[in-house]
Amino acid sequence: MISHPDSRSARWAALSALLTTSVLLTACSSGSGSSSSNDGGQARPGGTLTFAVGSDAGCVDPQQVGSNDTIYSLRQVVDSLTDQDPKTGKIVPWLAKSWDISQDAKAFTFHLRSGVTFSDGTPLTAQVVKDNFDAVPKLGALGILAQGYLSGVESTTAVDPLTVRVKFKQPNAQFLQATSTFSLGIESSASAKKSPQQKCSQGIVGSGPFTLKSYVQNQSITLAKRAKYDWGSSLWTKKGEAYLDKVVFKVVPEAGVRTGSLQSGQVDAISSVGKADEAALKGGQVSLLGRANPGNVFNLGLNNSRPLLKDVKVRQAILFAIDRQQIVDAVFPTGTQPATSILAHTTPDYANLGSALAYDAAKAKSLLDSAGWKTGSDGIRTKNGTRLSLAVTWFANAATNQPALELIQQQLKAVGIDVVLKERQISQLAATLQSGDFDAGWGNLTRADPDILRSQYSTRLANFYHLPASPLDSLLNQQAATTDAAKRKQLVDQAQQLIVKNAYIVPVVELQTQLGVAKKVHDLDFEASSRIQLHDTWIG
């Protein structure tokens, strides 16, 4: 066995680094990626932080939520077995004080901290962790992130009251990093035994520094400080309870209204600051905090089973017709980078495929010509009486979504592809993907590990984008099974190349998380996946 933290071998130290991401701050960020407290005096407890977000996922179970606006609040309610240092990428203790990993990466044994309790008063035990992990496969469509992390699990065993062992059927190099995510945040046994629908609508009981006080769908999520909390992540500065008494997340869909509310002092922080609002917020009593998200970039997730999109030349034409730099310059916050792979450049084992994603309208037109698509009188191509028309489904969970897609719509029209934009509620995301009733979807997915490619694009898993069986499947399975860092990188490189070459998915732009935060708010920090951590945050 390989133990943490003292006797981990050099090979596993390299793997730990592989399973992480480093911090990348934009020019408009503070130097540390958090609001500065240097001029704010002594940190003090108390107060309410009001945070305006753009959307509500319609679910208050962190194991079933994938939208940043809702993750911001629910991350505060649950603790995880481990945490991930956003600066170094190292996996560090949280609810687990240490762990052992078998040489073949099939067995992970976690030694839990004693004295941890959930907000219903029940203790954290190995059996509770087992109850959580046993329930994840039953979560259904909304639990795809958590299910992906536990894919291939053979058993979870409570070895003793404070020792839990998770065994997989095959080597699973990604699992240690997975235990640091909110998707595998530990809930009470009573919560784990509820139906997925009950957990979504009623919320869950966690052991985190805040509790879920109230939830009004599409209006607000209110958190209250957990009294006597004393088992925070080893990364946190403050010991014991959080500073803030209460945190209110208000749903404010309009970006301009969020900006105005922050300027007027009605709220203390806002999500998804777009390029158009940067100037209004600079120079006042507001800091702009930014961090690049690891994982899948914003992309057009093409439904490869659609008749039009089965043709690789059509998919490739879409890829070459998009001018990514123009979209970045016109729509996204300062510091945002155009996609140069399906993975963001902050993701471990990212491969720079920028040349394969270069804008080339002439090449796009040539591909469509060779595929038999002829330009009609209205500029849109047809073939055998069928218009080359594509519906893109999108969700209003980021202010940049609509303007970015409107630019893509113009760019694709210029080569003869008609794009229809279909807006849906964020609560419909899982159902839309599961139904398969879409041509293309717009979105991204954040994770600080390249195994995100397997969870999204392996035909042996959910395969929501209906990719055909191909050598990509083998590459994705092999990278998840190897503990050799160099070999894993090579496999991930090849997987990225296949995705881009075949245009199964069309990468567009990296996600740059940018928040507006009042200067009276101190130490509002990003964690490794560019979501926020509020335990150390205070107002003064």
Side-chain angles (χ1 to χ4, degrees):
M1 301 290 283
I2 302 169
S3 300
H4 171 88
D6 298 326
S7 61
R8 181 175 293 180
S9 70
R11 181 176 67 177
W12 273 100
L15 179 60
S16 178
L18 177 74
L19 295 168
T20 59
T21 184
S22 59
V23 173
L24 177 68
L25 302 174
T26 65
C28 59
S29 308
S30 69
S32 63
S34 64
S35 49
S36 172
S37 59
N38 293 337
D39 58 356
Q42 184 66 36
R44 52 184 178 271
T48 297
L49 175 74
T50 304
F51 197 120
V53 296
S55 64
D56 172 31
C59 179
V60 278
D61 176 18
Q63 294 180 355
Q64 298 185 77
V65 169
S67 174
N68 283 348
D69 279 346
T70 304
I71 293 166
Y72 291 152
S73 57
L74 300 184
R75 169 76 274 193
Q76 320 309 317
V77 176
V78 289
D79 299 319
S80 300
L81 291 178
T82 65
D83 203 357
Q84 186 173 10
D85 190 325
K87 295 186 175 69
T88 67
K90 183 181 179 182
I91 305 299
V92 300
W94 194 345
L95 292 181
K97 62 183 181 181
S98 63
W99 50 86
D100 307 307
I101 305 170
S102 64
Q103 293 284 352
D104 61 4
K106 289 184 179 180
F108 297 75
T109 303
F110 297 93
H111 307 282
L112 305 178
R113 296 171 66 162
S114 61
V116 176
T117 62
F118 295 90
S119 58
D120 62 2
T122 58
L124 170 70
T125 65
Q127 184 62 44
V128 174
V129 178
K130 173 178 168 58
D131 290 343
N132 272 258
F133 290 175
D134 286 350
V136 163
K138 305 169 188 175
L139 288 176
L142 292 181
I144 56 174
L145 291 177
Q147 290 164 356
Y149 300 156
L150 284 168
S151 175
V153 68
E154 183 177 89
S155 65
T156 301
T157 306
V159 178
D160 62 44
L162 292 177
T163 306
V164 61
R165 179 172 297 124
V166 184
K167 288 187 177 181
F168 291 88
K169 298 172 185 175
Q170 62 281 318
N172 195 4
Q174 61 85 34
F175 183 63
L176 183 61
Q177 190 275 338
T179 64
S180 73
T181 66
F182 67 90
S183 298
L184 293 185
I186 306 300
E187 303 170 0
S188 70
S189 282
S191 292
K193 291 173 183 176
K194 288 184 176 181
S195 71
Q197 295 77 16
Q198 287 176 319
K199 295 206 299 177
C200 260
S201 61
Q202 300 170 8
I204 55 89
V205 171
S207 64
F210 292 90
T211 62
L212 179 63
K213 184 176 181 181
S214 67
Y215 170 53
V216 182
Q217 189 168 355
N218 294 321
Q219 293 186 33
S220 65
I221 293 176
T222 301
L223 310 179
K225 177 165 67 175
R226 171 78 192 279
K228 299 182 180 179
Y229 180 87
D230 195 28
W231 41 85
S233 164
S234 55
L235 294 175
W236 299 349
T237 301
K238 186 182 187 299
K239 305 300 180 184
E241 297 178 1
Y243 286 112
L244 297 168
D245 288 334
K246 188 166 71 170
V247 187
V248 180
F249 289 84
K250 291 185 175 181
V251 180
V252 182
E254 302 83 5
V257 176
R258 290 197 302 274
T259 297
S261 298
L262 180 58
Q263 288 176 304
S264 66
Q266 292 176 286
V267 302
D268 305 306
I270 62 174
S271 69
S272 304
V273 176
K275 192 178 187 71
D277 297 310
E278 286 183 356
L281 293 174
K282 287 179 179 178
Q285 293 302 306
V286 175
S287 297
L288 294 179
L289 311 180
R291 187 177 188 272
N293 283 44
N296 285 354
V297 298
F298 273 119
N299 64 81
L300 290 177
L302 304 181
N303 185 341
N304 285 247
S305 68
R306 291 296 217 217
L308 294 178
L309 297 172
K310 284 183 178 179
D311 188 339
V312 65
K313 290 184 177 180
V314 172
R315 299 196 306 266
Q316 289 171 334
I318 294 170
L319 183 146
F320 289 119
I322 294 175
D323 186 340
R324 293 161 181 80
Q325 190 63 55
Q326 183 187 53
I327 294 169
V328 167
D329 293 342
V331 175
F332 285 88
T334 303
T336 301
Q337 297 192 26
T340 49
S341 177
I342 184 59
L343 293 177
H345 76 277
T346 51
T347 316
D349 294 336
Y350 148 86
N352 188 338
L353 306 177
S355 60
L357 289 168
Y359 170 58
D360 192 337
K363 189 170 185 178
K365 292 177 181 179
S366 175
L367 283 163
L368 293 174
D369 288 340
S370 66
W373 291 95
K374 306 300 182 184
T375 304
S377 59
D378 61 354
I380 302 303
R381 293 172 181 260
T382 61
K383 180 180 179 181
N384 300 327
T386 299
R387 281 169 59 85
L388 186 49
S389 184
L390 178 74
V392 177
T393 301
W394 66 283
F395 305 88
N397 60 333
T400 54
N401 287 352
Q402 184 170 352
L405 286 170
E406 288 173 346
L407 261 179
I408 290 173
Q409 187 179 45
Q410 294 172 23
Q411 292 171 358
L412 293 185
K413 185 177 181 180
V415 301
I417 302 173
D418 176 46
V419 171
V420 177
L421 302 180
K422 291 187 175 181
E423 181 181 359
R424 296 288 184 267
Q425 295 299 314
I426 187 63
S427 58
Q428 297 174 286
L429 172 60
T432 300
L433 290 175
Q434 192 174 34
S435 72
D437 187 18
F438 65 96
D439 293 335
W442 173 257
N444 79 294
L445 195 59
T446 295
R447 190 187 176 191
D449 190 275
D451 194 62
I452 196 169
L453 298 177
R454 182 177 64 95
S455 63
Q456 288 291 286
Y457 307 128
S458 171
T459 67
R460 301 171 190 178
L461 297 176
N463 193 21
F464 288 125
Y465 300 103
H466 301 276
L467 273 64
S470 75
L472 178 63
D473 289 318
S474 178
L475 291 170
L476 295 177
N477 284 338
Q478 289 179 64
Q479 66 79 30
T482 183
T483 59
D484 184 309
K487 182 179 178 182
R488 192 180 192 214
K489 176 174 174 53
Q490 183 182 43
L491 293 166
V492 172
D493 283 356
Q494 293 176 40
Q496 291 170 82
Q497 291 170 25
L498 275 183
I499 291 169
V500 170
K501 178 182 178 182
N502 290 284
Y504 294 131
I505 306 296
V506 176
V508 179
V509 60
E510 295 190 355
L511 170 61
Q512 174 77 22
T513 292
Q514 183 156 255
L515 310 177
V517 182
K519 289 186 177 178
K520 68 177 182 178
V521 178
H522 306 274
D523 297 328
L524 191 155
D525 291 317
F526 289 111
E527 42 93 277
S529 61
S530 296
R531 280 76 180 231
I532 58 173
Q533 179 53 256
L534 296 177
H535 177 270
D536 289 346
T537 304
W538 57 282
I539 296 178

